[in-house]
Amino acid sequence: MLNRINFLALMILALPGCSNVPLRGTGDLGVVIERATGSIDVVETSGRSVLGKVTGLGDLSHASVNYSRDGRYAYVFGRDGGLTKVDLLEMRVVKRVMQSGNSIGGAISQDGKLVAVANYTPGGIKVFDSATLDQVADIPSLDDTGKSSKVVGLVDAPGNRFVWCLFEAGEIWVGDFKSPATPVLQKFKHIGKEPYDAMITADGRYYLAGLFGEDGLALIDLWNPEAGAKQVLNHYGKGEQKLPVFKMPHMEGWAATGSELLVPAVGRHEVLVIDENNWQEVAHIPVHGQPVFVVARPDNRQVWVNFAFPDNDTVQVIDVQSRKIVQTIHPGKAVLHMEFTPRGESIWVSARDDNKVTIYDSETFAVQGELHVDSPSGIFFTHRANRTGL
Amino acid sequence: MLSNSVVYAAPAMPDAARRAELIRMVRNDCGSCHGIRLTGGLGLSLTPEALREKPDSALVATILYGRPGTPMPPWQGFMSEPEAEWIVENLKLGFPNVKSH
């Protein structure tokens, strides 16, 4: 009898929604990409733990993640063209679409209703309803001669716009998606040779594309688009022998410190300091290898830098005011990514070939924790949900 | 005797430990441009279908010396010529996966 009552009580407790998810917010959640196995670990930064794993996400070798504005859903963009919507609370795949043969990343619109994906083959962007993942727009990246380009550097911008680059054509396109089915395109041509990645400043005003095919950066002031694209830092590196690049530097997370930008040099062991007022290089800081990510701590006082093969076992920390390296650490083999907690007291660092994520105190550099993750690459926390360009 | 001459004709094979390193390098470090599945990205597809028609020597040279004017960097500082040949041979057969731990 007693047993039966207990059993009934359990049934009733288990019934609502048939799910055992305790109530919780999403502000301290995130995901770590497991590059080799096509899965992601759902993590939380308060207790520094792995909550669970979601599998079956395809080729995640260059995966990136955007978040729904409520921080509950992660949109994971895989190399194989897969776009997967993952529920972080229930830790399951909500929906997965194979939207192209080969993609590189995505963006979520200002209003949170649209998810755009940048594709290599066939080149272009596709835009999806963020709730259903139904396609709402398809914009091939054909230049005037009808040739298709790889799309890189896709970001969101204020005004429900997306901005992206055409690698081969050397163009930047701005798409206004206020009416998603009939987007209005603005094309900037001859912006420079082979833009390979781009970023938008946190205020959504400046879009900067790194150029692989020549020196310099292409810049668009989105407050004054009629002024066109201009090339800045043109003379950087002219006449000097360039080192081969073993991994393309990333522009996302470029450290914007208010008046200065700290950016990775292409093919050089340097971080460049650029004055945001006149877009001139004001200094270059020698570092340990070819920088890949240069990320600012949320207070902008220090930036953390990781490096391309073969220097990818090292991370350096630069003090912005003095432009000096204040710390060099060795988090493990093949450091691929670094992500600060929302207010920056800690930083999570992935070391792919050591199968671990190490958590550091961002002030003392003491190790606060270590998580075992299979072949970890990107780390993405949910506070990205509320940031332009992330 | 016969088997001896076969061994002599073949390029010096990287040993098992080095092969494991090369596999990891191709999947990961080459994969950052060519895709972990080597189906292409910023770099071209390196699948057997994509490479079938291309001469080994040209592919080996591309790996060792890179392609100036493109993002493909030279890898000669990190591998020998026989190792590059071993990579090309295996790309054409379908490249092995990293053994999971």
Side-chain angles (χ1 to χ4, degrees), chain A residues 35-36 58-62 79-80 102 120 150 167 194 212 244-248 309-310 312 333 352-353 355 374-375, chain B residues 24-25 27-29 31-43 69-75 78 98 100-101:
Chain A
R35 190 174 189 273
D59 180 350
L60 298 182
S61 63
H62 200 290
R79 191 29 113 23
D80 56 4
N102 205 312
Y120 275 174
K150 297 184 195 83
F167 177 79
E194 294 172 347
F212 190 82
V245 179
F246 292 100
K247 186 175 164 69
M248 304 302 279
F309 175 89
N312 51 1
K333 275 190 259 159
R352 181 193 66 207
D353 293 351
N355 299 301
D374 216 354
S375 207
Chain B
R24 191 145 87 169
M25 180 168 167
R27 289 277 168 199
N28 292 325
D29 298 304
S32 73
C33 286
H34 291 280
I36 203 168
R37 293 185 179 162
L38 305 174
T39 48
L42 183 66
T70 81
M72 176 64 187
W75 295 85
F78 308 106
V98 177
S100 58
H101 10 248

Side-chain angles (χ1 to χ4, degrees), chain A residues 29-40:
Chain A
L29 295 183
V31 305
V32 180
I33 306 286
E34 292 189 314
R35 190 174 189 273
T37 52
S39 46
I40 61 173

Side-chain angles (χ1 to χ4, degrees), chain A residues 10 52 84 94 96 137 152 190 228 260 262 345 350 363-364 387:
Chain A
L10 269 177
T84 313
V94 178
R96 177 168 164 79
V152 298
H190 313 294
E260 290 173 347
L262 274 74
E345 80 289 355
S350 62
E363 219 165 284
T364 65
R387 305 228 175 131

Side-chain angles (χ1 to χ4, degrees), chain B residues 15-76:
Chain B
D15 66 19
R18 180 62 180 154
R19 284 201 302 273
E21 260 175 54
L22 290 173
I23 291 169
R24 191 145 87 169
M25 180 168 167
V26 169
R27 289 277 168 199
N28 292 325
D29 298 304
C30 311
S32 73
C33 286
H34 291 280
I36 203 168
R37 293 185 179 162
L38 305 174
T39 48
L42 183 66
L44 300 165
S45 168
L46 301 179
T47 57
E49 304 74 62
L51 297 181
R52 192 178 298 129
E53 309 280 296
K54 305 192 175 168
D56 289 11
S57 56
L59 297 172
V60 168
T62 297
I63 295 173
L64 290 176
Y65 309 114
R67 284 220 183 125
T70 81
M72 176 64 187
W75 295 85
Q76 55 178 337

Side-chain angles (χ1 to χ4, degrees), chain A residues 325-364:
Chain A
I325 289 167
V326 292
Q327 188 74 15
T328 299
I329 54 176
H330 299 282
K333 275 190 259 159
V335 173
L336 291 190
H337 203 215
M338 303 166 291
E339 178 88 332
F340 282 100
T341 50
R343 297 199 182 196
E345 80 289 355
S346 301
I347 184 169
W348 291 39
V349 179
S350 62
R352 181 193 66 207
D353 293 351
D354 280 339
N355 299 301
K356 67 177 183 189
V357 169
T358 309
I359 303 160
Y360 292 93
D361 181 314
S362 71
E363 219 165 284
T364 65

Side-chain angles (χ1 to χ4, degrees), chain A residues 57-77:
Chain A
L57 279 70
D59 180 350
L60 298 182
S61 63
H62 200 290
S64 65
V65 172
N66 289 107
Y67 285 103
S68 62
R69 62 198 285 161
D70 60 7
R72 174 168 181 178
Y73 300 101
Y75 299 94
V76 184
F77 308 91

